[in-house]
Amino acid sequence: MKLIDQYEKEGNSIQVDSLLTTKDAVIDIKQIFILGNNVYVSFDMEHERILITETADVFIQKNKEFLKTLTKKAYSKINSCKCDSCQ
């Protein structure tokens, strides 16, 4: 398994630590990884805090109309990493 930060297909792009707003939920993209010959995306939703994993191509196809709402999550000192280099 290889972790990646971004996946793009046919002009549609998804990124780790981004939020995607759909008509039903806000999706929090946690991981994108390559396993075998497939790329997968793991995410959760604001109303269902369980980790869901599906192929990146299926994720993009299902959410294509909402990809324009993709925004990078903003971190603050309250919820960011606590290591010395981040403080």
Side-chain angles (χ1 to χ4, degrees):
M1 181 172 85
K2 178 183 176 188
L3 295 175
I4 58 176
D5 291 328
Q6 181 175 341
Y7 178 73
E8 185 173 334
K9 183 172 184 178
E10 300 172 357
N12 297 297
S13 179
I14 53 175
Q15 296 178 342
V16 173
D17 290 330
S18 293
L19 300 173
L20 179 70
T21 305
T22 69
K23 62 182 176 192
D24 299 323
V26 174
I27 296 171
D28 187 355
I29 300 172
K30 301 293 189 181
Q31 281 186 331
I32 303 171
F33 59 93
I34 300 169
L35 185 60
N37 294 328
N38 293 311
V39 178
Y40 294 89
V41 61
S42 293
F43 59 94
D44 65 14
M45 294 183 247
E46 65 180 343
H47 66 280
E48 284 184 49
R49 299 311 269 179
I50 58 171
L51 195 61
I52 303 164
T53 302
E54 60 189 27
T55 65
D57 293 343
V58 168
F59 180 85
I60 287 173
Q61 191 62 34
K62 284 176 27 181
N63 297 295
K64 188 178 279 189
E65 66 184 284
F66 303 107
L67 290 178
K68 64 184 175 293
T69 69
L70 194 73
T71 57
K72 199 72 170 163
K73 287 195 300 190
Y75 288 96
S76 69
K77 288 194 179 269
I78 296 169
N79 64 358
S80 66
C81 178
K82 302 297 183 204
C83 73
D84 291 337
S85 63
C86 292
Q87 295 300 314

